[in-house]
Amino acid sequence: MATGRTHRPATRSRGIPEATVARLPLYLRALTALSERSVPTVSSEELAAAAGVNSAKLRKDFSYLGSYGTRGVGYDVEYLVYQISRELGLTQDWPVVIVGIGNLGAALANYGGFASRGFRVAALIDADPGMAGKPVAGIPVQHTDELEKIIQDDGVSIGVIATPAGAAQQVCDRLVAAGVTSILNFAPTVLNVPEGVDVRKVDLSIELQILAFHEQRKAGEEAGAGADGAVPPVAARKQPHSTDQGPDGDVPAVMPA
Amino acid sequence: MATGRTHRPATRSRGIPEATVARLPLYLRALTALSERSVPTVSSEELAAAAGVNSAKLRKDFSYLGSYGTRGVGYDVEYLVYQISRELGLTQDWPVVIVGIGNLGAALANYGGFASRGFRVAALIDADPGMAGKPVAGIPVQHTDELEKIIQDDGVSIGVIATPAGAAQQVCDRLVAAGVTSILNFAPTVLNVPEGVDVRKVDLSIELQILAFHEQRKAGEEAGAGADGAVPPVAARKQPHSTDQGPDGDVPAVMPA
DNA sequence: CCATCTTTGTGCACGCGTTCACAAAGACAT
DNA sequence: ATGTCTTTGTGAACGCGTGCACAAAGATGG
Ligand SMILES: NC(=O)c1ccc[n+]([C@@H]2O[C@H](COP(=O)([O-])OP(=O)(O)OC[C@H]3O[C@@H](n4cnc5c(N)ncnc54)[C@H](O)[C@@H]3O)[C@@H](O)[C@H]2O)c1
Ligand SMILES: NC(=O)c1ccc[n+]([C@@H]2O[C@H](COP(=O)([O-])OP(=O)(O)OC[C@H]3O[C@@H](n4cnc5c(N)ncnc54)[C@H](O)[C@@H]3O)[C@@H](O)[C@H]2O)c1
């Protein structure tokens, strides 16, 4: 079991702020679209609008990469596409393994967005023996036993976990032990990894809960502020579901102190 | 510019910082696990470890909700579960529509994590007429024509978009026009929405690119001055397996020059 | 070559988020 | 009651990210 520390120390990645790194793929996507339309240059204002960000922020982001713009004109689209691609490491090929080929894993395997950049699905791995050999998205699923061999043979450094939550940590440990140093985790679990290993998580449930919070707030404000004038969001019934087991477990609003 | 209608100031969610809201689901998950094991109380230190965050941060987060802890003891698990659930709006039922029942949409429909909290799949919607009536995860897929009716009848305020990128904005517009005010977007596009509508996006491609960036940095540091930079990237052409003649898919890849 | 106009690149201020450190609050023992 | 011990709740410092505003750079036209 992993016993090491978990937190990533805000990684100052060679002077490029983390927030900027997270936006580079966004710029790259907008630039790629422009490139396809053979647009030669683009101003920070236009590109920012396409990427959905502030133009000053975009210029500052680019300033971390260098001075690739021309004052009075803007940025050369093709050149910028190349520079960002290189900065992100997309000019090289990244073999990726997906572990857990269920509903989600199969969808990921079929996802074209993988291959569209430098990412290549090196292998699909599942613990279910009945699945071994079965092709998904044209790639035969391999058994978990092969995991270490595949990773070492193909030099895989990026792993995607799409197993049930209960298996995620165990899978993670095996991936790391075999040499994987970047993990994209779809299972709703906090992964424990040694230092030097990056973990990013995608958690659908959390996203929905955040939306629900704001949704509730919106409904509450409207209802409380004035008479429902506009289209009532119709949050409908306010039925406390489940959570029903406490003898007096859910004591409503009784503040201590 | 100078229109008073810039992006929402955000962060003013009833005094609770946005960063805190984003962590509440994390705490809730950890607390739920403790609750299932019938653990009565938990200290900030223990809970923070389970949620993968700093204990001081956790205490400050909880302080925004109120003083729910007992000094010298910790937090009452059941009580805290209830308080966070209520704060997030999970004590009520949230009907959700999923639009675009392809690989990803079907996986989402099958995802148990939806129903585990207050979220209920109200409808599955797809533009493909051949799909209408076909059951996915026990729910019959309905045609896009029904979209407005479903949203209004069920009082749906949260929509999930899992269509190809080219259709996302159009679907988004229809959702918003019909009354949806929160959108979870899986398509790799910047959605344009009127004020008052919340959009959160989940972008797998971006996550991978961020991982690749750090991966490259790690490799570069070890190997010293890398020699790459002019390596011709593999122009992996996206191979859409789209079974229908729908609108174009994702952003096709273009090789940087 | 000079003037003008456009747009970049960035200094600076500000606000949010994180973390430390500790006094206060309460549990528990005597 | 009193003292000790544990843990919360938070004041304060700090760092990061954001956006404004503008000088400098370069294109363009005369
Ligand atoms: N389906 C979704 O839309 C969705 C969304 C968000 C998160 N998730 C999460 O993603 C994960 C997968 O979801 P799913 O719907 O695809 O589940 P699933 O049950 O359909 O698939 C899980 C797969 O993992 C395999 N597996 C189990 N243990 C394994 C192990 N130790 N090693 C390798 N493979 C193993 C199983 O054989 C199965 O094929 C879950 O953790 C889920 O919570 C799913
Ligand atoms: N598959 C993945 O793992 C994955 C991961 C991340 C993002 N995405 C994105 O999610 C989206 C869906 O991916 P997918 O793999 O499921 O694609 P898909 O082609 O399998 O499914 C798309 C579905 O949307 C339907 N559709 C098309 N236009 C529509 C419209 N106007 N209204 C309603 N339905 C419409 C199609 O009929 C099809 O069933 C894409 O934008 C993709 O980039 C997918």
Side-chain angles (χ1 to χ4, degrees):
Chain A
M1 320 312 174
T3 53
R5 286 273 64 114
T6 304
H7 310 298
R8 129 189 47 201
T11 321
R12 182 186 305 282
S13 305
R14 201 198 62 186
I16 300 184
E18 192 59 28
T20 294
V21 173
R23 282 188 293 268
L24 289 182
L26 225 53
Y27 303 144
L28 183 56
R29 179 173 295 153
L31 285 165
T32 303
L34 291 172
S35 173
E36 278 160 20
R37 290 174 17 216
S38 300
V39 177
T41 61
V42 64
S43 72
S44 65
E45 202 71 49
E46 293 167 320
L47 185 55
V53 302
N54 182 291
S55 69
K57 194 187 296 184
L58 178 143
R59 287 197 298 274
K60 181 148 290 191
D61 283 341
F62 285 175
S63 78
Y64 292 115
L65 307 184
S67 292
Y68 294 148
T70 304
R71 298 178 188 222
V73 176
Y75 298 91
D76 182 281
V77 171
E78 294 296 328
Y79 187 59
L80 202 47
V81 164
Y82 173 70
Q83 289 299 340
I84 295 180
S85 293
R86 192 174 54 82
E87 197 66 50
L88 284 172
L90 304 181
T91 52
Q92 58 185 280
D93 186 62
W94 293 103
V96 172
V97 295
I98 303 177
V99 186
I101 313 302
N103 288 304
L104 183 60
L108 295 175
N110 277 301
Y111 181 41
F114 261 118
S116 71
R117 306 269 178 258
F119 304 99
R120 173 175 55 86
V121 178
L124 305 178
I125 297 173
D126 201 289
D128 184 355
M131 259 196 150
K134 222 175 67 176
V136 172
I139 302 173
V141 174
Q142 292 177 270
H143 191 264
T144 318
D145 293 344
E146 317 280 345
L147 192 145
E148 284 79 9
K149 183 179 185 330
I150 293 167
I151 290 175
Q152 275 146 27
D153 286 359
D154 283 6
V156 176
S157 55
I158 300 179
V160 176
I161 297 180
T163 67
Q169 182 63 61
Q170 183 186 350
V171 168
C172 173
D173 291 343
R174 285 185 67 176
L175 286 173
V176 170
V180 165
T181 47
S182 287
I183 292 176
L184 184 53
N185 179 33
F186 285 88
T189 320
V190 176
L191 289 182
N192 217 338
V193 295
E195 193 165 350
V197 176
D198 282 308
V199 176
R200 296 191 68 87
K201 72 166 187 290
V202 174
D203 197 319
L204 170 58
S205 175
I206 287 183
E207 299 299 323
L208 279 178
Q209 290 174 54
I210 295 172
L211 284 178
F213 172 85
H214 290 116
E215 200 60 40
Q216 184 186 42
R217 187 177 54 81
K218 280 186 254 177
E221 268 178 8
E222 273 185 24
D228 30 50
V231 186
V234 192
R237 39 253 143 90
K238 190 174 192 145
Q239 191 183 42
H241 88 117
S242 71
T243 320
D244 45 306
Q245 75 163 23
D248 54 330
D250 27 346
V251 185
V254 175
M255 289 309 91
Chain B
M1 48 171 85
T3 61
R5 196 141 58 80
T6 47
H7 289 289
R8 70 167 187 269
T11 59
R12 189 174 301 152
S13 304
R14 220 282 303 275
I16 299 184
E18 192 59 28
T20 295
V21 173
R23 280 188 295 268
L24 290 182
L26 224 53
Y27 303 144
L28 183 56
R29 179 173 295 154
L31 285 164
T32 303
L34 291 172
S35 172
E36 277 161 18
R37 289 176 16 216
S38 300
V39 177
T41 62
V42 65
S43 71
S44 64
E45 202 69 49
E46 292 167 320
L47 185 54
V53 303
N54 182 292
S55 69
K57 193 187 295 184
L58 178 142
R59 287 198 299 276
K60 179 144 289 189
D61 283 341
F62 286 175
S63 77
Y64 293 116
L65 308 183
S67 292
Y68 294 149
T70 304
R71 297 178 188 223
V73 175
Y75 299 90
D76 182 282
V77 172
E78 295 295 329
Y79 187 59
L80 202 48
V81 164
Y82 172 70
Q83 290 298 340
I84 295 180
S85 293
R86 190 175 54 80
E87 197 66 51
L88 285 172
L90 304 183
T91 52
Q92 59 183 280
D93 186 62
W94 294 104
V96 173
V97 295
I98 304 177
V99 186
I101 313 302
N103 287 305
L104 183 60
L108 295 175
N110 277 300
Y111 181 43
F114 261 119
S116 72
R117 305 268 178 261
F119 304 99
R120 173 175 56 83
V121 178
L124 305 179
I125 297 173
D126 201 289
D128 185 356
M131 260 197 148
K134 223 176 66 176
V136 171
I139 302 173
V141 175
Q142 293 176 270
H143 191 264
T144 317
D145 294 345
E146 316 280 344
L147 192 145
E148 284 79 9
K149 182 178 185 334
I150 294 167
I151 290 175
Q152 276 146 27
D153 286 359
D154 283 4
V156 176
S157 55
I158 301 179
V160 176
I161 297 179
T163 66
Q169 182 63 60
Q170 183 187 349
V171 167
C172 172
D173 291 343
R174 286 185 66 176
L175 286 172
V176 170
V180 164
T181 47
S182 285
I183 292 177
L184 184 53
N185 180 33
F186 285 87
T189 320
V190 175
L191 289 182
N192 218 338
V193 295
E195 193 166 351
V197 176
D198 281 307
V199 175
R200 295 191 68 86
K201 74 166 187 287
V202 174
D203 197 320
L204 170 57
S205 175
I206 287 183
E207 299 300 324
L208 279 178
Q209 289 174 55
I210 295 173
L211 284 178
F213 172 84
H214 290 116
E215 200 60 40
Q216 185 186 41
R217 188 178 52 83
K218 281 185 251 178
E221 273 177 5
E222 273 182 24
D228 81 287
V231 181
V234 279
R237 173 74 175 91
K238 167 181 181 281
Q239 189 67 3
H241 64 95
S242 52
T243 53
D244 65 311
Q245 56 193 352
D248 61 38
D250 297 43
V251 184
V254 162
M255 187 184 74

